[in-house]
Amino acid sequence: IASLTVIANESYQAFAKSLQNEYKASGIQIGKVRVNEFAKIPALTDDGIYTEAKLGFAKSQMIFDHLTSLGFLSDGQVTSKFIPDSIGFSLALPENLYRYEAHVTELMRNASLEKFVKTTSKRQNRVLNKAVYLSPEFEEFWDSISRRCTYRVSLNRDTLMESVVTAIKSAPAIPPLRVEITKAEIKVVRGGAKSEELASRSAILQGSYDLPDIVSELQNATSLTRWSIVDILLRSERLAEFIANPNDFISMAKRVIQAELAKLVVDGIQYERIAGSFYELRELQRDGEEEKDRFLDQLYQVKNSGKSDFDYVVFDSDVERQFAEKLDSREDIKFFMKLPAKFKIPTPVGDYNPDWAIIKQVDGEERLYMIRETKSTLDELKLRPSEAAKIASARQHFKAIGIDNYEVSAPEAWNL
């Protein structure tokens, strides 16, 4: 995210309001909930299991209209009726959409202009505790948790092919690309402009464009062999839809193959430790010294000095903020840190960045190294397949390097 600092010659509130009006006049919607705001929410099955599919525009519009009808939105703006932190608050979504309330609430929170335009008085420089990085105890800790591994996956090709082909065949139909032309008459009268549709026609665009290299795109996204991908496409019997709408078909195929791979690799993955560290201590210290300032709404101030590598811990969600408070207050937690974005573990479904590294003291003597991933729930069925696969892979990775204490933490059970 690029951060632009503006020195305004007016009050902050007036500047923010003026900026929003200028964006609005230019046709840019910032600080506003759009009709398609909820289209990218991960879709759920009837059993409440997350899929790699998205909710889609039609259901997003249903949610938008519902929120407007109940007064939570007015012309796309969040109204004072939206008070998500009050006891008993509910968006009262329709029965077929109620399970998405947490996602919708979070997206409405993020629609505030304050998420994009912030006063500099709310910005804080994080101070690195260099003494932590220089201590032999931390060096031993970091060396233990950042050891390098390689992995291999054992899969039954026939099982994989069958599951992927079945999933593609059952995926929703993809409509062909179309161009639609509408002819209308506009009358400018004293009360304003009025339009009336006179005629419309549409045409399918099939055959009027170059087709992308679907085999190469799917191979890069899934690491399957070209022969396997060709086999999947032929057996799916849906290549006509690729010709009619190539980009949407490729997106669907990627999503389905990655989801099926995620289900199967969990049982077949094996990690093996190799020499070296994938993120060395000197890199960590260098990156820490270059740390930029953050806004206070992203920061938790550590109460016990020296218990973390910075005086402020960055959090990405309210669950992470709660977890940081819990770690800071517990006497048996001697050290904790939010792992930097560069701390990534390779998995078959993409690189994975764990959330927390912790040192816990047991019985006043033994020190226990712990890795934690924070989620809003411990129910793996409510995670997307790729998320569940990354967590399962990470558990095998840390076990291979001698860190047996890797768990998922959630408000229902912090697992400390």
Side-chain angles (χ1 to χ4, degrees):
I1 299 175
S3 178
L4 171 65
T5 301
V6 179
I7 301 174
N9 60 356
E10 53 191 311
S11 72
Y12 168 69
Q13 289 82 359
F15 165 71
K17 184 177 180 181
S18 175
L19 179 64
Q20 185 176 17
N21 289 335
E22 289 178 19
Y23 278 130
K24 186 176 180 180
S26 302
I28 301 171
Q29 295 182 337
I30 290 184
K32 189 173 182 179
V33 177
R34 299 160 297 177
V35 177
N36 65 338
E37 196 75 45
F38 315 108
K40 293 187 177 180
I41 293 176
L44 290 163
T45 66
D46 293 337
D47 298 326
I49 301 173
Y50 277 102
T51 69
E52 296 295 330
K54 306 300 180 184
L55 201 56
F57 179 81
K59 290 184 178 178
S60 177
Q61 186 167 29
M62 289 174 60
I63 295 173
F64 181 90
D65 293 341
H66 170 82
L67 296 173
T68 302
S69 67
L70 292 186
F72 294 115
L73 294 177
S74 176
D75 192 28
Q77 300 287 346
V78 179
T79 68
S80 58
K81 191 176 180 180
F82 179 72
I83 316 173
D85 295 324
S86 61
I87 298 175
F89 175 83
S90 173
L91 295 175
L93 292 174
E95 185 177 352
N96 63 325
L97 297 170
Y98 78 92
R99 68 187 71 176
Y100 300 105
E101 179 155 332
H103 292 279
V104 173
T105 301
E106 186 64 24
L107 287 171
M108 289 180 69
R109 285 181 189 271
N110 293 336
S112 169
L113 185 67
E114 293 296 320
K115 286 284 184 178
F116 304 97
V117 182
K118 304 177 183 180
T119 179
T120 54
S121 63
K122 296 181 180 179
R123 195 160 56 190
Q124 177 68 40
N125 283 310
R126 294 210 300 158
V127 178
L128 174 67
N129 187 351
K130 294 183 181 179
V132 169
Y133 289 174
L134 297 176
S135 68
E137 293 82 4
F138 181 81
E139 184 175 354
E140 180 183 346
F141 168 64
W142 189 256
D143 178 64
S144 298
I145 68 173
S146 64
R147 291 169 181 168
R148 190 187 301 272
C149 270
T150 184
Y151 70 84
R152 64 178 184 272
V153 180
S154 300
L155 286 175
N156 184 300
R157 184 182 184 277
D158 293 338
T159 302
L160 174 63
M161 293 295 104
E162 190 64 35
S163 64
V164 170
V165 170
T166 301
I168 291 180
K169 282 185 175 181
S170 61
I174 296 175
L177 292 174
R178 308 174 68 90
V179 60
E180 184 169 325
I181 300 171
T182 301
K183 183 180 180 181
E185 182 181 71
I186 297 178
K187 295 180 181 179
V188 180
V189 296
R190 182 170 297 179
K194 296 183 178 180
S195 64
E196 180 181 355
E197 185 176 319
L198 300 179
S200 66
R201 61 188 179 90
S202 62
I204 296 176
L205 295 178
Q206 185 170 323
S208 60
Y209 43 79
D210 293 331
L211 293 173
D213 185 351
I214 183 174
V215 177
S216 294
E217 289 206 31
L218 293 179
Q219 184 180 27
N220 292 335
T222 64
S223 299
L224 295 179
T225 64
R226 296 178 69 86
W227 171 246
S228 294
I229 291 169
V230 170
D231 190 17
I232 290 170
L233 294 174
L234 291 176
R235 290 170 59 185
S236 72
E237 300 177 347
R238 293 187 62 173
L239 282 174
E241 292 175 69
F242 163 64
I243 296 172
N245 192 338
N247 289 332
D248 283 359
F249 184 86
I250 290 175
S251 296
M252 178 274 291
K254 282 181 184 178
R255 184 175 67 247
V256 169
I257 295 174
Q258 289 172 344
E260 295 305 311
L261 274 172
K263 295 175 185 176
L264 294 174
V265 299
V266 174
D267 297 328
I269 190 169
Q270 289 183 321
Y271 280 87
E272 184 177 342
R273 181 183 166 186
I274 57 178
S277 169
F278 62 83
Y279 188 30
E280 296 182 359
L281 182 57
R282 57 184 175 84
E283 296 178 85
L284 174 68
Q285 184 170 355
R286 183 191 66 228
D287 294 340
E289 290 171 346
E290 295 175 354
E291 175 69 24
K292 300 293 188 296
D293 55 2
R294 302 291 184 102
F295 284 99
L296 288 170
D297 60 356
Q298 303 171 310
L299 298 175
Y300 166 75
Q301 185 173 14
V302 179
K303 304 299 187 296
N304 295 289
S305 178
K307 204 170 183 179
S308 191
D309 54 339
F310 283 94
D311 58 342
Y312 285 85
V313 174
V314 178
F315 62 83
D316 299 320
S317 65
D318 190 59
V319 172
E320 289 190 356
R321 180 192 58 77
Q322 293 178 48
F323 191 62
E325 289 181 352
K326 179 70 66 175
L327 295 171
D328 193 14
S329 63
R330 285 186 53 143
E331 293 182 356
D332 56 350
I333 301 299
K334 297 305 176 184
F335 177 82
F336 70 95
M337 66 181 296
K338 183 75 181 297
L339 288 167
K342 291 184 179 180
F343 190 97
K344 292 182 179 179
I345 296 167
T347 80
V349 290
D351 289 342
Y352 165 65
N353 174 218
D355 286 330
W356 305 88
I358 304 163
I359 300 177
K360 180 180 178 181
Q361 195 162 24
V362 182
D363 299 329
E365 296 182 3
E366 182 186 359
R367 293 205 162 199
L368 187 65
Y369 296 164
M370 304 162 62
I371 304 293
R372 290 293 182 268
E373 175 71 19
T374 39
K375 293 292 183 184
S376 59
T377 177
L378 296 179
D379 188 353
E380 290 193 6
L381 294 178
K382 294 183 178 179
L383 299 176
R384 280 174 285 181
S386 58
E387 289 180 317
K390 286 180 179 180
I391 289 172
S393 298
R395 185 171 279 111
Q396 296 299 321
H397 163 86
F398 284 112
K399 187 175 181 180
I401 64 174
I403 307 295
D404 293 325
N405 205 307
Y406 170 90
E407 298 291 344
V408 176
S409 296
E412 60 198 81
W414 293 119
N415 287 326
L416 290 173

